[in-house]
Amino acid sequence: MSKALDGVRILDFTHVQSGPTCTQLLAWFGADVIKVERAGAGDITREQLRDITDVDSLYFTMLNHNKRSVTIDTKNPEGKLVLEALIQKCDVLVENFAPGALDRMGFTWERIQELNPRMIVASVKGFGPGPYEDCKVYENVAQCAGGAASTTGFDDGPPVVSGAQIGDSGTGLHLALGIVTALYQRTQTGRGQKVLAAMQDGVLNLCRVKLRDQQRLERTGTMKEYPQYPNGTFGEAVPRAGNASGGGQPGWILKCKGWETDPNAYIYFITQAPVWAKICNVIGKEDWATDPNYATPAARLPHLKDIFAEIERWTMTKTKFEAMQILNKYDIPCGPILSMKEIAEEPSLRKTGTIVEVDHPTRGKYLTVGNPIKLSDSPTEVKRSPLLGEHTDEVMTELGYSPEQISALRTAGAI
Ligand code: CAO
């Protein structure tokens, strides 16, 4: 079966996490992704957080599936010529170097345009234009600068970063959308363009509801669904809301049977208004369904702490899975807190290709997260990440270099 991005060639100049997330997605959709790395070293993550000596780390393998790897020293004059040949042959150049690195290499937007006016140049940077545009940025910096950290955690504690890599993988996702959009526009204009996804912007986009709340707070001085209401105080900025739901339906994380020893024996419980009477029945508080202090969402707001404490008395008598089964029968929205171990072992995620076992020549078998976006006409087949420079000769041959030329370039340290 054909793939959605068959025929699209990506010159993948990405490293670490944000850029590789983006190009891995494009590869899963069928693009030919040619990852350019430095000979002898490669993407720094190949050797970061290694669990097996001299074997590409899981950090690298899990972000670089379905790609080809070529080694080019792009600061070597002959290496630059190879890169130029690749620019002429590819549709998109994706990079997430520190600001200015591509220019310093000699590959400015103008130079790339000269070589290939159809080329789309897509970049992840930490910040967009402004006071921090020259800064190097990693995940947690973006979470802090994008509004996620100040709004995550509990009111009486410090800001907290999330385990979800919204700065890196989140921005990679944003960039992938920018690239396919630019490819679509190119079908009409025939021209390439620059695509920029700044990590601060990407995180802020994912924190949109918190900017909503900032404005609500400024207008009304309070937010009734936040745990600070009614007894605590609100300051000038959106406070951390613990596990309160970001929407109009109050929710909280509640203990389940076994919580004393299992750190993940918890369930997320949402007191969705249309099923309030059912919730009251399940937890044995039938009178709350008609009691004027509890019967309506507005009446419940000042009592949310007590309500969740009462519901927790019930959830603590059930395992998270038992509670989930009972609550789902009544359409009461809830979700078990799943550990990574439980997720890794979940058969339904294996079945859908969301968790995939991959075989690697030096690592052996390992688990990865497959393509989370499923296209009915473009199925994803997850293929192992390339070894460093595994495809250098193959790609050089496709570019028209003879075996003798390839060997001379290797001797000169250009590839
Ligand atoms: N041949 C020759 N030189 C190469 C090369 C190649 N194949 N590939 C990279 N280089 C060079 C670059 O040209 C650059 O050289 P200069 O500094 O002389 O211009 C150098 O390698 C290092 O690039 P870098 O500054 O991007 O790398 P770093 O490890 O110092 O910084 C990071 C890493 C992530 C902080 C930085 O790249 C960055 O801020 N990127 C943008 C934001 C981003 O994507 N952050 C998320 C990363 S995922 O957590």
Side-chain angles (χ1 to χ4, degrees):
M1 196 183 261
S2 66
K3 298 279 164 66
L5 295 182
D6 271 348
V8 173
R9 267 189 298 255
I10 309 284
L11 174 46
D12 181 9
F13 231 156
T14 68
H15 63 159
V16 201
Q17 186 183 159
S18 62
T21 310
C22 164
T23 50
Q24 177 169 262
L25 275 171
L26 301 174
W28 281 337
F29 290 135
D32 177 13
V33 175
I34 302 167
K35 183 168 174 111
V36 176
E37 298 178 83
R38 233 184 309 209
D43 187 326
I44 194 166
T45 58
R46 283 189 187 265
E47 60 172 41
Q48 279 179 341
L49 311 176
R50 269 189 177 150
D51 55 331
I52 308 175
T53 317
D54 293 335
V55 169
D56 284 339
S57 70
L58 285 165
Y59 197 8
F60 177 84
T61 52
M62 290 176 73
L63 285 162
N64 289 284
H65 293 106
N66 297 55
K67 304 180 185 178
R68 299 198 281 171
S69 165
V70 300
T71 52
I72 306 174
D73 180 349
T74 55
K75 289 186 174 165
N76 173 305
E78 290 177 85
K80 274 188 208 286
L81 293 178
V82 179
L83 194 72
E84 286 185 2
L86 270 172
I87 289 173
Q88 280 162 333
K89 209 171 155 81
C90 289
D91 300 281
V92 188
L93 185 159
V94 192
E95 62 93 21
N96 67 310
F97 290 129
L102 206 58
D103 292 355
R104 284 193 291 280
M105 243 180 239
F107 292 98
T108 59
W109 165 246
E110 291 73 23
R111 177 70 188 128
I112 294 169
Q113 284 285 285
E114 260 168 40
L115 292 164
N116 180 358
R118 287 173 59 78
M119 173 64 90
I120 290 157
V121 178
S123 304
V124 170
K125 293 290 166 259
F127 293 93
Y132 305 122
E133 65 188 12
D134 292 328
C135 297
K136 290 193 173 186
V137 169
Y138 284 106
E139 171 69 48
N140 288 343
V141 176
Q143 288 202 26
C144 293
S150 73
T151 53
T152 303
F154 288 86
D155 198 26
D156 56 358
V160 173
V161 294
S162 161
Q165 304 286 283
I166 56 177
D168 279 342
S169 290
T171 309
L173 264 166
H174 283 91
L175 191 72
L177 177 60
I179 290 170
V180 291
T181 306
L183 278 168
Y184 181 73
Q185 192 173 12
R186 195 182 70 171
T187 60
Q188 287 137 23
T189 63
R191 287 194 312 276
Q193 62 181 300
K194 288 186 273 186
V195 179
L196 171 66
M199 294 168 75
Q200 181 184 39
D201 301 7
V203 170
L204 178 57
N205 185 34
L206 299 176
C207 290
R208 182 171 291 262
V209 297
K210 297 297 177 181
L211 184 57
R212 172 201 68 193
D213 289 351
Q214 178 64 35
Q215 295 171 86
R216 292 172 58 221
L217 179 65
E218 283 170 18
R219 191 175 301 277
T220 66
T222 188
M223 288 180 295
K224 292 183 177 170
E225 80 285 12
Y226 272 55
Q228 289 79 1
Y229 178 83
N231 301 318
T233 52
F234 287 90
E236 286 187 340
V238 175
R240 295 185 263 290
N243 289 315
S245 113
Q249 309 287 353
W252 202 253
I253 287 184
L254 306 176
K255 291 171 184 156
C256 290
K257 198 170 168 177
W259 67 274
E260 298 91 337
T261 51
D262 176 355
N264 294 304
Y266 288 84
I267 193 164
Y268 199 91
F269 194 107
I270 298 172
T271 56
Q272 194 200 12
V275 289
W276 176 243
K278 292 178 187 171
I279 294 171
C280 298
N281 276 339
V282 168
I283 64 168
K285 294 288 289 181
E286 288 83 355
D287 53 313
W288 275 2
T290 47
D291 182 333
N293 278 324
Y294 296 91
T296 66
R300 287 196 286 278
L301 283 174
H303 310 296
L304 281 180
K305 253 191 199 126
D306 301 338
I307 290 171
F308 283 122
E310 192 62 42
I311 299 173
E312 192 171 59
R313 268 189 273 284
W314 178 80
T315 56
M316 279 165 69
T317 67
K318 309 276 178 278
T319 69
K320 61 190 174 188
F321 297 113
E322 288 166 352
M324 173 91 177
Q325 218 166 16
I326 295 167
L327 297 170
N328 270 314
K329 267 203 305 220
Y330 300 106
D331 282 338
I332 299 168
C334 60
I337 307 306
L338 295 182
S339 69
M340 268 302 151
K341 182 169 163 49
E342 287 165 330
I343 288 170
E345 292 166 358
E346 171 58 45
S348 65
L349 293 176
R350 301 285 183 107
K351 224 170 158 181
T352 56
T354 297
I355 298 279
V356 186
E357 190 176 75
V358 184
D359 205 358
H360 185 275
T362 54
R363 156 170 296 284
K365 289 192 173 25
Y366 66 95
L367 285 188
T368 196
V369 184
N371 192 346
I373 305 164
K374 319 291 198 244
L375 267 61
S376 63
D377 257 4
S378 182
T380 298
E381 185 194 338
V382 179
K383 295 188 194 145
R384 70 164 174 90
S385 59
L387 301 174
L388 179 59
E390 185 176 344
H391 304 95
T392 305
D393 287 37
E394 180 181 295
V395 171
M396 295 292 289
T397 308
E398 286 168 15
L399 289 174
Y401 288 85
S402 68
E404 294 72 29
Q405 287 171 313
I406 296 172
S407 141
L409 283 170
R410 193 161 275 130
T411 311
I415 59 171

